[in-house]
Amino acid sequence: MDALKTVKTTARPIRRATLHHSAVAELRAMILDGELPPGVRVPEVQLCEQLGISRTPLREALRVLSSEGLVELRPHRGAIVAPVDPNEIAAIFEVMDALERLAGTLACKNGLEAEFTKLDRMHDQLVAQHEAGERAAYFLTNRQIHAQIVAMARNPALEATYGGFATKILRARSLANYDAGRWQESVDEHEVFMKALRRRDAEEFGALLADHSRRTAVAVIQALQPVRAP
Amino acid sequence: MDALKTVKTTARPIRRATLHHSAVAELRAMILDGELPPGVRVPEVQLCEQLGISRTPLREALRVLSSEGLVELRPHRGAIVAPVDPNEIAAIFEVMDALERLAGTLACKNGLEAEFTKLDRMHDQLVAQHEAGERAAYFLTNRQIHAQIVAMARNPALEATYGGFATKILRARSLANYDAGRWQESVDEHEVFMKALRRRDAEEFGALLADHSRRTAVAVIQALQPVRAP
DNA sequence: AATCATTATTTTGTATACAATTTGGCACGG
DNA sequence: CCGTGCCAAATTGTATACAAAATAATGATT
C-alpha cells in the first residue's frame, strides 16, 4: 500500500539539470580558483570544447556571470574575466561592513540555540587551525563561520547579497597574499566578537563584526596594492 | 592642431547594440509596469514575435532577469514572472534600512556642494507636489531624491545593490495601493532628514534615512497583505 | 463512471548554420 | 618612414533546426 506515487529521492526536489546552469557553476569555480585569471579573454569556442557543451548554453552562462559582475561583456569584442579593481573592492567592503553588522545583530536575535553552540565549536576549530598554522583550513573555517552567522540572520536577501560580495572579495584575497601579522589580529577579533555573541549582545556583536570587516578590508586592500597591473 | 585623434561624441562610448541587452531592458520595464504581472508564465515564442526577435537573445535575457530575481526559471517547465512575496519584501527592506543608513552617511561626507543644493531643490519640488496632490509626480521625485543621495555616496557597489532592491520594492508598491495617511508622514520624515542633511550631520542623516526606510517598509508590507493570492 | 496507462502535442533545451562586426595585416600614397 | 584606407580572417551575435522533457488528451480497463 504505497500512498505515494513518487518517492522523495532527495530533500531538494530542484534538480539543476540544464547545461547552462552547470556551466555557470563551472565557470564561476574556474574564475574563483584563478584558473581563469582577471582580465583574460574568454573565447567561446575554446571553452565550449573544454566543457563539452555547445555555444548556446555557454553564452547564457556568460550573461549570468556578467550580471553577477564576474565577467565583462564587450559587445562584438568578446568577454573577459572581470578585472579586480582595488577601488571596487574597497567599495564592496564599505557595503560589506554594513551587511556584517546587520547579519550579526539579526543572527543574535534569530539564531537557534543549537546554532549558537555550533558556532562555538566552529570557533574552537578556527583557533586550533590557527595554532596549527593550517592556513588553508583556517580560511575555509573562517568563511564557514561568517556564512553561518549570515544564515542565522534568517534573511534570504541579505544572504544572497552577502554571498555575491563574498565571492568577489574571495577572488581579491586569492590574488593578494595575505599579511602574516594580520592573521593573529584576525583571530583575536574573532575571540572578542564571540564573547559578545555568548552574551547575546546583538548590537555589540554586530558592531564588532562590522569592525572586523573594516579591518579585514584594510589588510586586503593593502595587500592588493603591489599587484599593480603591468 | 588637434591633439586628439578621436572626437568625444558622447560621455559614454558604450553602445548597447545587442538584442539580448535590449530585451533585458524591455522585459524589465514590462515587469515593472505590471504588463507582465507576477506569477504569469512567460512563453518564449509569444514574446519573441512580440519583441520581434529570435528565441536565442530572448532566452539570454531571461537568464539575466532570473539572476536579478525578477523571473523564476523552472527547468523544462518554462519561466514565470517572480511572484511578490511579502516575506521577501520584508527581508529586502531589512537590508534596505542598512543601505539607506550607509548611503546617507557617505553622501553627507562625499557629496559636492552643488549636489546638496540640488537635493534641496528636489526636496522643495517634492513638498510642492505633495501639496498639489500630484501623486505620480511625487513618487517619481521621491525616487529621484533617494537615487541622488545614493549617487552622492560615491560607491558603485552600494548603488548597484540599492538599485536592485529598489526595483523589487517598486514592483511591490505598484501592486499594493499606498495608504493615504502614510503620505503626509513620509513628507514629514523628508523634512526632518533634510534638516539633518543641511547641518551635514552624517550619522544623524543616515539614522533618519534608515528610520524613514523602516517606516516605509511597514506601510508597504501592510498594504501588501490584502493582496493574498486567490 | 472513474482511474490509470499510453500517446500526442506543446514547450523548453541544445546544437548548428548563417550574418554582422571587429581586428589585424597589407598595400598604397604622402 | 609614417599614416591612411582597404581587405581578409576570426569571433561574436542571431536565427533556425533538431532533441528531450513535460503537459494534455485520449482510450482502455476495471
Side-chain angles (χ1 to χ4, degrees), chain B residues 5-24:
Chain B
K5 277 183 287 189
T6 59
V7 180
K8 288 187 178 179
T9 54
T10 172
R12 48 170 90 174
I14 301 160
R15 43 183 168 179
R16 301 175 168 178
T18 67
L19 284 189
H20 98 265
H21 211 296
S22 314
V24 168

Side-chain angles (χ1 to χ4, degrees), chain A:
Chain A
M1 285 87 163
D2 40 10
L4 297 174
K5 277 184 287 190
T6 58
V7 180
K8 288 186 179 179
T9 54
T10 171
R12 48 169 90 173
I14 301 160
R15 41 182 170 180
R16 301 176 168 177
T18 68
L19 285 190
H20 99 264
H21 211 295
S22 314
V24 168
E26 193 65 33
L27 287 176
R28 187 159 35 205
M30 288 170 78
I31 292 174
L32 282 178
D33 293 351
E35 197 173 337
L36 290 175
V40 86
R41 283 202 58 219
V42 186
E44 295 183 358
V45 284
Q46 182 182 318
L47 275 181
C48 281
E49 48 194 35
Q50 191 170 339
L51 296 179
I53 63 177
S54 171
R55 274 184 65 209
T56 306
L58 180 87
R59 285 170 57 80
E60 291 178 355
L62 285 179
R63 298 306 184 281
V64 171
L65 291 173
S66 161
S67 131
E68 287 179 11
L70 285 180
V71 310
E72 277 183 19
L73 298 179
R74 303 166 306 173
H76 290 284
R77 299 188 55 194
I80 62 172
V81 177
V84 174
D85 176 9
N87 289 327
E88 189 195 352
I89 297 297
I92 285 174
F93 263 114
E94 215 166 34
V95 182
M96 202 64 162
D97 298 349
L99 296 185
E100 288 275 7
R101 180 188 303 266
L102 178 62
T105 307
L106 291 177
C108 226
K109 291 177 181 170
N110 301 332
L112 303 175
E113 209 53 41
E115 292 174 317
F116 287 115
T117 58
K118 179 184 177 187
L119 215 45
D120 260 322
R121 285 203 308 273
M122 294 170 87
H123 175 68
D124 292 340
Q125 189 183 1
L126 186 86
V127 173
Q129 285 164 342
H130 170 240
E131 287 175 355
E134 295 166 357
R135 202 180 178 81
Y138 171 89
F139 277 115
L140 180 60
T141 305
N142 182 47
R143 275 173 51 201
Q144 288 172 339
I145 286 175
H146 287 279
Q148 175 66 26
I149 292 171
V150 172
M152 287 162 68
R154 300 287 187 275
N155 185 316
L158 172 61
E159 200 160 359
T161 308
Y162 184 96
F165 286 150
T167 297
K168 290 194 171 184
I169 289 173
L170 183 63
R171 199 160 67 104
R173 273 200 188 186
S174 69
L175 286 179
N177 256 354
Y178 215 42
D179 177 25
R182 170 66 189 151
W183 197 1
Q184 179 66 51
E185 245 182 46
S186 184
V187 176
D188 292 342
E189 287 161 22
H190 270 255
E191 284 282 7
V192 173
F193 68 61
M194 283 304 290
K195 278 180 190 162
L197 180 73
R198 291 190 199 100
R199 289 198 313 272
R200 300 291 190 272
D201 189 340
E203 296 301 325
E204 179 72 4
F205 181 54
L208 289 171
L209 271 181
D211 210 59
H212 174 59
S213 175
R214 218 195 65 241
R215 293 173 193 272
T216 302
V218 174
V220 169
I221 290 164
Q222 188 178 340
L224 217 54
Q225 292 304 339
V227 188
R228 292 262 170 208

Side-chain angles (χ1 to χ4, degrees), chain B residues 170-226:
Chain B
L170 183 63
R171 200 160 67 105
R173 273 199 189 187
S174 69
L175 285 180
N177 254 355
Y178 215 41
D179 177 24
R182 170 66 189 151
W183 197 1
Q184 178 67 51
E185 245 183 47
S186 184
V187 177
D188 293 343
E189 285 162 22
H190 271 255
E191 284 283 8
V192 173
F193 68 63
M194 284 303 291
K195 278 182 190 162
L197 180 72
R198 293 191 197 100
R199 290 199 313 270
R200 302 290 190 272
D201 188 339
E203 296 302 326
E204 180 71 4
F205 180 54
L208 289 171
L209 271 181
D211 210 58
H212 174 59
S213 175
R214 216 194 67 242
R215 293 173 194 272
T216 302
V218 173
V220 169
I221 290 164
Q222 187 179 340
L224 216 54
Q225 292 305 337

Side-chain angles (χ1 to χ4, degrees), chain B residues 6-55:
Chain B
T6 59
V7 180
K8 288 187 178 179
T9 54
T10 172
R12 48 170 90 174
I14 301 160
R15 43 183 168 179
R16 301 175 168 178
T18 67
L19 284 189
H20 98 265
H21 211 296
S22 314
V24 168
E26 193 65 32
L27 287 176
R28 189 159 33 204
M30 289 170 76
I31 293 174
L32 283 178
D33 293 349
E35 197 172 340
L36 290 175
V40 87
R41 282 200 59 219
V42 186
E44 295 182 359
V45 283
Q46 181 182 319
L47 275 181
C48 281
E49 48 194 35
Q50 192 170 339
L51 296 179
I53 62 178
S54 169
R55 275 184 63 210

